[in-house]
């Protein structure tokens, strides 16, 4: 009996050790945001002896599916309006573990140097995910380019436009493809996630959000995991001076910290 108890305790100890040895998997979208997360990963290892593995994605849908099915422990790529739209549409049970940065969205053009030069009937490409499309249209509304039925509707689409005085022609495109279609349209709204790798600077945007934007990005986990020690350690490592400096270097001042120091 004594040997059985000792053996069981040893097996349990091995199990705990194995579980502890498994890396924390966090999903990011490939590009500069992944480079920023890598700094947080290095800090987490140094500060907390935490093993973190970054899993890169090239779209905005798969990281949430992977989090929901347990392939990831966390992801860091989305703002709250987008997360809520995915929760509502797909029934995900997610929670916010921490805040990262606001990455202001901008409208870019290879044909025109100012928003005033944009002609009537211009072809405008919008990201086709629910919240970022609404985000783009709200920005156009706020700039007086269109009038929305409800400018507080974060999931507005072109059918919610009450007045389109310049007869703009809208095209809904997957966010990752927007830099590629930029030469074929007159203007495109592109998130910094995809604008920066394409060589686009927010300083060159015809219109852009300011630092007051409510679209702060998040570290998202499954509900109940937000208080896990390893998740708290990851958030602590991310919300650090070194991460802020890396984001400032990569985004040229276009990444605004979304947490309170």
């Amino acid at each position: 009996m004594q040997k059985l108890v000792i053996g069981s305790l040893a097996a349990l100890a091995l199990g705990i050790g194995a579980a502890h040895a498994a890396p924390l998997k966090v999903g990011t979208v490939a590009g500069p945001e992944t480079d920023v997360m890598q700094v947080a990963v290095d800090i987490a290892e140094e500060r907390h002896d935490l093993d973190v593995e970054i899993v890169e994605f090239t779209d905005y849908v798969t990281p949430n599916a992977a989090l929901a099915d347990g392939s990831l422990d966390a992801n860091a790529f989305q703002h709250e309006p987008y997360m809520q739209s995915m929760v509502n549409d797909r029934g995900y049970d997610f929670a916010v573990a921490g805040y990262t940065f606001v990455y202001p969205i901008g409208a870019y053009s290879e044909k025109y140097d100012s928003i005033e030069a944009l002609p009537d009937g211009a072809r405008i490409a919008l990201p086709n995910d629910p919240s970022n499309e609404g985000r783009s249209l709200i920005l156009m509304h706020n700039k007086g380019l269109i009038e929305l039925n409800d400018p507080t509707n974060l999931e507005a689409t072109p059918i919610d436009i009450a007045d389109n005085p310049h007869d703009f022609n809208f095209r809904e495109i997957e966010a990752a493809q927007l830099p590629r279609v930029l030469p074929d349209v007159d203007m495109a709204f592109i998130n910094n996630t995809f604008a920066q790798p394409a060589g686009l600077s927010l300083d060159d945007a015809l219109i852009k959000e300011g630092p007051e934007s409510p679209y702060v990005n998040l570290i998202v986990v499954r509900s109940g995991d937000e208080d896990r020690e390893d998740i708290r350690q990851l958030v602590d490592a991310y919300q650090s001076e070194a991460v802020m400096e890396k984001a400032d270097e990569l985004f040229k001042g276009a990444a605004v910290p979304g947490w309170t120091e």
Side-chain angles (χ1 to χ4, degrees), residues 133-143 146 148 150-156 215:
E133 183 170 41
R135 181 182 188 184
S136 303
L137 292 171
I138 290 170
L139 181 55
M140 291 189 72
H141 172 95
N142 291 341
K143 296 296 183 180
I146 61 171
L148 292 171
D150 179 8
T152 67
N153 177 13
L154 299 181
E155 296 187 8
Y215 292 90

Side-chain angles (χ1 to χ4, degrees), residues 126 162 170:
L126 304 170
F170 294 98

Side-chain angles (χ1 to χ4, degrees), residues 50-83:
L50 184 65
D51 184 14
V52 183
E53 176 185 341
I54 297 175
V55 182
E56 293 186 75
F57 297 86
T58 58
D59 68 275
Y60 285 165
V61 176
T62 315
N64 278 334
L67 178 61
D69 70 20
S71 301
L72 297 175
D73 297 291
N75 64 41
F77 76 98
Q78 63 192 320
H79 49 63
E80 190 159 10
Y82 180 76
M83 184 194 75

Side-chain angles (χ1 to χ4, degrees), residues 60-61 64-65 67-68 75 78-96 130-131 155 218 220-223:
Y60 285 165
V61 176
N64 278 334
L67 178 61
N75 64 41
Q78 63 192 320
H79 49 63
E80 190 159 10
Y82 180 76
M83 184 194 75
Q84 287 300 332
S85 71
M86 295 291 282
V87 166
N88 294 337
D89 290 346
R90 305 196 178 203
Y92 295 145
D93 190 14
F94 290 164
V96 176
S131 61
E155 296 187 8
L218 312 167
V220 176
V221 298
R222 291 181 296 279
S223 290

Side-chain angles (χ1 to χ4, degrees), residues 52-204:
V52 183
E53 176 185 341
I54 297 175
V55 182
E56 293 186 75
F57 297 86
T58 58
D59 68 275
Y60 285 165
V61 176
T62 315
N64 278 334
L67 178 61
D69 70 20
S71 301
L72 297 175
D73 297 291
N75 64 41
F77 76 98
Q78 63 192 320
H79 49 63
E80 190 159 10
Y82 180 76
M83 184 194 75
Q84 287 300 332
S85 71
M86 295 291 282
V87 166
N88 294 337
D89 290 346
R90 305 196 178 203
Y92 295 145
D93 190 14
F94 290 164
V96 176
Y99 297 95
T100 63
F101 292 91
V102 176
Y103 298 99
I105 198 168
Y108 299 88
S109 176
E110 292 187 354
K111 301 176 181 177
Y112 304 100
D113 295 329
S114 69
I115 196 66
E116 290 78 19
L118 198 66
D120 289 352
R123 293 172 297 171
I124 299 176
L126 304 170
N128 68 357
D129 59 273
S131 61
N132 283 312
E133 183 170 41
R135 181 182 188 184
S136 303
L137 292 171
I138 290 170
L139 181 55
M140 291 189 72
H141 172 95
N142 291 341
K143 296 296 183 180
L145 297 171
I146 61 171
E147 183 179 340
L148 292 171
N149 288 316
D150 179 8
T152 67
N153 177 13
L154 299 181
E155 296 187 8
T157 70
I159 66 172
D160 298 305
I161 297 174
D163 188 21
N164 183 9
H166 300 286
D167 197 29
F168 292 137
N169 179 18
F170 294 98
R171 296 178 57 189
E172 298 166 293
I173 307 290
E174 184 182 352
Q177 302 302 316
L178 286 166
R180 296 182 184 179
V181 305
L182 185 57
D184 302 320
V185 298
D186 296 300
M187 187 171 75
F189 284 86
I190 306 176
N191 292 57
N192 258 333
T193 300
F194 301 113
Q196 194 78 14
L200 299 170
S201 168
L202 196 63
D203 290 337
D204 300 325

